[in-house]
Amino acid sequence: MLYSILIYAAEAELDQLDQKAEEAILARHGVLQSHMRASGGLGPFARLMSTSAAVTIKPGEGKPLVIDGPFAETKEQLLGLYLIECDNLDEAVAAASLLPTDIGSIEIRPIRYFGTGDLAGAKAAEQSG
Amino acid sequence: MTGRLCREDRFAAVLGSARPRVVGALTRYFRDLDRAEDAFQTASLRALGSWPERGLPDDPVAWLILAGRNAGIDAIRRNRRTVPLDTDQISDGLDSEEAALERIELDDYRDDILRLLFICCHPAIPQSDQMALALKVVAGLSVREIARAFLVTRKAMEQRITRAKRKVADAGIPFATPSLAERAERLGTVSGHLYLMFNEGYASAGEGAHIRAPLCEEAIRLIRLLLRLFPAQSEIMGLLALCLFQHSRARARLDPDGNIILLDEQDRGLWNRTLIDEGRVLLEKALRKHRPGPYQVQAAIAAVHCAAPCAADTDWAEIDRLYGALESLQPSPVVTLNRAVARAKVAGPEAALALVDGLGDALQGYLYYHGVRGALLAEIGDLKAAREAITCALGLAATAAERQHLEARLAAL
């Protein structure tokens, strides 16, 4: 089964973390990545830009409205995601638990349909981190 | 440390991110910056005592505001024995805590934080002290950290901040909810202030450079905060984009001795692509609004530099055009001087000198005016005049790095 791991935390709080704490978080991501690589279950993953960089399209009168910012004003924001393949939910939970769990919430949402896509720009984005 | 994030980190991050809102709200309640800061301090200590056991509250900001208000009131009661209480100093909201907290919606937070930043920009305070005050009150840096960033002793910085606070108190703080026009004006003032703070860190070279880099990061952090509060403001998007573009070059713009490496000679592989990408997105978002402003145009200029794989690929015609736009939005001799640099690349040194020649009166005391003029004169072969210009620049050099750079240029002529 394919699962997505959706990572939420408060941007304003992450903004306050010092380099050491940031490195600690990255290290945990490294652990998840190598764990999933070992089982051949690591799919694409992404870190999202800040919600200030986002726009949201909402229904408007006549034509849709493009609004600045994220979909909803929430305490925690969607910051990044993984796609992983696991045999069952227990494994997916165990994998996601390798990430830092004390700075926000991690949602595991099974994938209903997955298209592999054909991203020319993905390699470039991978370089820039 | 094996990549474990401790709970103290989390609590510190929560307190840090809550600080502007809480101190902003407490300043509104107590109408006193010092009292608000002290109350926040006490509330933070209570939080660190209570949260580890009881866990994070649902709404840490509201928790801290409440705790801070109680702490502030306690402090007033304690002082009342010696100093008569001036009840007018406290705003009306104190009677009903719940009602007061419910009233704190995003709009209030917005105005509270904006007011807090605006207070720090008070014209009665010297510019560098304005920055110090904002770093202390809003960003929550310690006096020691701020003193380091401004290359002064802790004691001197302590005095400067105390003096700045007294000036703010004497001047009176504007507490009424601002009108639309006032809010726009405050945003403009605060944006300018944060850009100055960024530049204070960015412009430093020599031994101060590494020490002062945190100023850039704090300024970016505060601009991010401002943009979260005003997510549709194209000029704040532009300002953040501009600072991200500039900051993306941080690793490339100083040599190991801390000397500035000019844009043309930087190793562009060292530029931070993540910051550049974010700057590009923000600028695109801003431009979609068709409400141009100086920060957006300056960000657009920086974006052109960032888009060039090497210096020779720079689209100077576009930069010339953008400086033209900046000249009409915000006419200034320095902008024209910058435009002349772009013009020289597009149309040759004579065309650039025609622009520069009109600036002599305004920029006589500006090092870069003489530096640019010297370079252009050298290009057209007037070495004597070029030498004179560089010599003028040398007379205005403020740092050893600048002097060294200019002496090398003089020797090359």
Side-chain angles (χ1 to χ4, degrees):
Chain A
M1 178 71 76
L2 287 175
Y3 297 89
S4 64
I5 300 177
L6 308 175
I7 301 160
Y8 293 84
E11 281 179 335
E13 281 175 33
L14 287 190
D15 228 18
Q16 294 289 326
L17 292 178
D18 59 16
Q19 208 179 337
K20 215 181 83 196
E22 251 170 47
E23 280 163 11
I25 292 175
L26 280 181
R28 298 283 291 265
H29 281 265
V31 171
L32 170 69
Q33 287 159 23
S34 39
H35 172 79
M36 290 313 302
R37 265 201 187 100
S39 67
L42 182 67
F45 49 93
R47 167 83 166 95
L48 305 179
M49 281 188 194
S50 71
T51 53
S52 293
V55 294
T56 303
I57 301 175
K58 288 190 174 173
E61 278 173 40
K63 59 174 189 171
L65 282 174
V66 180
I67 295 166
D68 292 291
F71 163 61
E73 286 291 339
T74 45
K75 269 188 216 163
E76 296 184 336
Q77 292 83 32
L78 179 62
L79 302 179
L81 57 131
Y82 282 87
L83 291 188
I84 57 167
E85 186 168 20
C86 293
D87 285 342
N88 53 49
L89 183 60
D90 284 350
E91 274 183 24
V93 170
S97 304
L98 294 170
L99 294 174
T101 49
D102 41 11
I103 44 166
S105 313
I106 298 173
E107 176 179 338
I108 297 168
R109 179 93 72 95
I111 304 271
R112 177 166 148 169
Y113 172 80
F114 175 63
T116 52
D118 185 18
L119 272 183
K123 274 288 155 205
E126 189 166 23
Q127 308 292 320
S128 72
Chain B
M1 293 287 287
T2 55
R4 193 155 272 293
L5 193 73
C6 52
R7 238 154 53 118
E8 284 68 29
D9 287 332
R10 173 81 200 276
F11 292 147
V14 171
L15 289 177
S17 68
R19 180 183 177 104
R21 285 184 178 197
V22 177
V23 176
L26 292 174
T27 305
R28 175 157 49 82
Y29 285 134
F30 294 120
R31 315 217 154 184
D32 182 314
L33 212 49
D34 257 333
R35 179 158 286 147
E37 261 201 304
D38 288 347
F40 176 78
Q41 197 61 34
T42 311
S44 299
L45 289 174
R46 282 187 194 159
L48 291 175
S50 152
W51 295 355
E53 242 175 74
R54 299 191 189 178
L56 260 184
D58 278 346
D59 189 343
V61 171
W63 193 101
L64 288 163
I65 291 174
L66 209 54
R69 272 179 30 180
N70 293 338
I73 293 168
D74 285 349
I76 293 171
R77 290 206 180 111
R78 270 200 307 280
N79 283 348
R80 192 157 41 175
R81 288 189 202 126
T82 46
V83 185
L85 177 67
D86 179 2
T87 43
D88 288 346
Q89 274 184 353
I90 308 169
S91 75
D92 311 320
L94 282 176
D95 312 329
S96 142
E97 288 169 355
E98 259 88 79
L101 280 184
E102 271 166 25
R103 278 212 314 270
I104 304 177
E105 295 296 328
L106 179 70
D107 281 354
D108 293 309
Y109 283 140
R110 251 170 42 161
D111 285 330
D112 281 347
I113 296 176
L114 186 59
R115 179 185 301 111
L116 206 54
L117 282 164
F118 185 66
I119 289 170
C120 298
C121 310
H122 199 283
I125 311 171
Q127 235 160 42
S128 64
D129 292 3
Q130 292 179 1
M131 294 176 207
L133 194 60
L135 289 168
K136 172 80 171 52
V137 174
V138 189
L141 262 58
S142 72
V143 175
R144 194 168 51 89
E145 288 171 306
I146 302 167
R148 231 172 99 81
F150 285 93
L151 313 174
V152 299
T153 63
R154 191 178 177 284
K155 196 165 173 349
M157 185 47 79
E158 187 94 60
Q159 284 166 350
R160 278 165 62 173
I161 289 175
T162 308
R163 201 174 50 214
K165 277 187 179 164
R166 200 180 314 132
K167 283 208 173 125
V168 164
D170 290 347
I173 303 176
F175 281 102
T177 303
S179 67
L180 276 180
E182 280 169 336
R183 191 178 288 143
E185 194 196 315
R186 285 182 188 184
L187 258 183
T189 305
V190 166
S191 301
H193 169 82
L194 294 177
Y195 188 43
L196 279 176
M197 188 191 290
F198 178 86
N199 274 322
E200 183 77 17
Y202 186 75
S204 56
E207 45 185 310
H210 292 297
I211 304 172
R212 313 199 73 188
L215 284 175
C216 295
E217 278 150 34
E218 286 306 327
I220 287 177
R221 199 170 286 174
L222 289 169
I223 298 166
R224 283 189 190 284
L225 169 70
L226 209 57
L227 186 56
R228 274 199 292 272
L229 297 170
F230 298 91
Q233 289 287 336
S234 51
E235 271 296 84
I236 305 180
M237 293 176 204
L239 175 59
L240 181 54
L242 173 60
C243 293
L244 292 175
F245 286 137
Q246 316 243 70
H247 199 50
S248 75
R249 304 196 280 264
R251 271 187 307 171
R253 62 187 288 274
L254 296 176
D255 70 14
D257 298 324
N259 297 315
I260 289 178
I261 304 175
L262 296 174
L263 195 61
D264 283 4
E265 288 143 25
Q266 289 173 10
D267 174 0
R268 298 186 176 214
L270 292 175
W271 290 0
N272 184 329
R273 305 315 302 186
T274 307
L275 295 183
I276 292 173
D277 285 347
E278 192 183 359
R280 269 182 45 198
V281 171
L282 288 164
L283 181 59
E284 277 176 17
K285 261 186 77 168
L287 296 179
R288 281 172 54 95
K289 299 190 161 292
H290 304 292
R291 286 209 306 261
Y295 293 126
Q296 292 168 74
V297 178
Q298 290 176 81
I301 293 168
V304 175
H305 285 297
C306 287
C310 67
D313 293 336
T314 308
D315 185 350
W316 287 106
E318 177 69 1
I319 292 180
D320 183 23
R321 197 186 63 78
L322 287 166
Y323 270 119
L326 190 57
E327 263 182 325
S328 54
L329 280 168
Q330 201 180 53
S332 106
V334 173
V335 171
T336 307
L337 181 69
N338 281 317
R339 185 177 192 185
V341 175
R343 180 62 65 79
K345 307 268 187 181
V346 180
E350 288 90 355
L353 274 169
L355 277 178
V356 170
D357 278 340
L359 305 173
D361 289 342
L363 297 181
Q364 214 34 250
Y366 188 56
L367 183 149
Y368 293 103
Y369 163 74
H370 299 286
V372 167
R373 208 165 151 265
L376 293 171
L377 287 166
E379 250 186 274
I380 61 165
D382 189 348
L383 296 185
K384 184 168 169 288
R387 259 184 234 113
E388 281 168 17
I390 303 286
T391 309
C392 282
L394 203 50
L396 295 164
T399 67
E402 282 172 351
R403 216 166 295 130
Q404 217 173 351
H405 173 77
L406 290 166
E407 271 161 5
R409 279 177 59 186
L410 204 54
L413 286 171

